[in-house]
Amino acid sequence: MRLGGPVFEKNLTPESWLVALGRSGYGAAYCPVDEKASDDVVRGYVQAAAAANIVIAEVGAWSNTVSPDAAAAKKNIEFNQARLALAERVGARCCVNITGSRGTADWAGPHKDNLTQETFDLIVETVRKIIDFVKPTRTFYTLETMQWMYPDSADNYLRLIKAIDRPRCAAHFDPTNLVTSPQIYFNTGAMIRDAVAKLGPYIRSCHAKDVKLANKAHIHMDEIRPGEGNLDYTTYLKEIDKLDPDMPLMLEHLPNAEQYDLAAKHIRGVAKEAGLSFKG
């Protein structure tokens, strides 16, 4: 496994990027350039990563490709095509997005039409359009699991992968987003084992977050820093460690470097207790 996360330095160069990653002890990284980067700039980062044994885990393509606004959907599909092409250029393990919402209030929010067969079919069509345009040979296109949109479970993820039917469609694993009920919350280890058993051959990158169930009349869960919630990190690390020695586990959604350091410290501590270690 490789632990990774964002860096906070501005005006990055390949050299300062490696210094920042080394300071955090990361063996994996988010893509440090965008799709507008020149070939020379991309080459500089790729060579630096190879020399320092850093895996570029993923290129984010965060946008709503199934928006009910046709113009917005077209623009976002084109953005995903550009981001997948970037992932191919840098040799990232994957390009990742969510499927998006069929509502207009929030591009990533819940909507009554998100989990319908019609939307499932639209996702299949959209992902094919993204992959077929780029025709990647080194990277993969993946969808992050989400609570209120496909893929909302390991079973539905498998359904999507098989329906999309493209060799370069793979999986992204974020078990925190699959904690959707008290039953799962209090037994996250079983959920993780089940998901990895089903999706393991497809998983290209993973996210590290945590979840906490609130004591409120209606079910409410908050995403929080790893170690502050109920996700079974011992099981999580053991399961993904079986898949690939270079599997990235990427920290995200924390406000500053100090919080990332605390999260990394917790995860490394869990790994050590489990007899596991991270590359890098």
Side-chain angles (χ1 to χ4, degrees), residues 6-216:
V7 298
F8 290 86
E9 281 71 8
K10 296 181 179 179
N11 302 314
L12 276 181
T13 64
E15 294 75 21
S16 65
W17 179 60
L18 291 183
V19 169
L21 292 170
R23 188 183 304 124
S24 295
Y26 292 154
Y30 290 109
C31 182
V33 298
D34 65 21
E35 62 275 14
K36 298 176 183 177
S38 69
D39 289 343
D40 286 343
V41 168
V42 168
R43 189 178 305 110
Y45 280 98
V46 169
Q47 291 175 347
N53 191 26
I54 297 293
V55 165
I56 299 177
E58 55 192 64
V59 173
W62 311 114
S63 55
N64 188 359
T65 59
V66 298
S67 171
D69 181 328
K74 181 176 183 296
K75 179 180 178 180
N76 291 334
I77 289 170
E78 291 171 352
F79 175 66
N80 274 252
Q81 291 168 338
R83 298 295 281 180
L84 179 57
L86 173 62
E88 179 78 357
R89 291 171 70 197
V90 302
R93 286 178 61 94
C94 68
C95 173
V96 57
N97 191 16
I98 62 171
T99 54
S101 177
R102 292 297 288 160
T104 56
D106 183 349
W107 74 277
H111 189 270
K112 65 181 180 65
D113 294 331
N114 284 359
L115 294 170
T116 63
Q117 185 61 46
E118 181 181 8
T119 297
F120 185 97
D121 295 340
L122 178 60
I123 294 165
V124 170
E125 176 188 343
T126 300
V127 172
R128 285 177 175 176
K129 189 176 297 184
I130 293 165
I131 294 174
D132 291 348
F133 181 84
V134 179
K135 298 181 176 61
T137 60
R138 300 199 299 161
T139 194
F140 294 80
Y141 188 77
T142 64
L143 297 168
E144 184 174 356
T145 51
M146 289 290 286
Q147 301 90 332
W148 46 65
M149 61 184 64
Y150 294 121
D152 62 326
S153 68
D155 289 330
N156 279 334
Y157 212 144
L158 278 180
R159 283 181 61 221
L160 268 177
I161 290 172
K162 291 176 180 178
I164 292 165
D165 192 26
R166 295 294 186 271
R168 287 287 154 172
C169 177
H172 187 283
F173 190 38
D174 189 335
T176 298
N177 290 355
L178 294 178
V179 182
T180 56
S181 70
Q183 290 85 352
I184 297 175
Y185 179 83
F186 289 111
N187 201 7
T188 59
M191 176 271 290
I192 290 167
R193 285 189 292 271
D194 177 71
V196 171
K198 292 170 178 174
L199 297 173
Y202 300 102
I203 296 173
R204 299 294 298 163
S205 188
C206 306
H207 280 168
K209 303 184 302 203
D210 213 328
V211 59
K212 187 171 184 178
L213 178 65
N215 184 13
K216 296 184 178 181

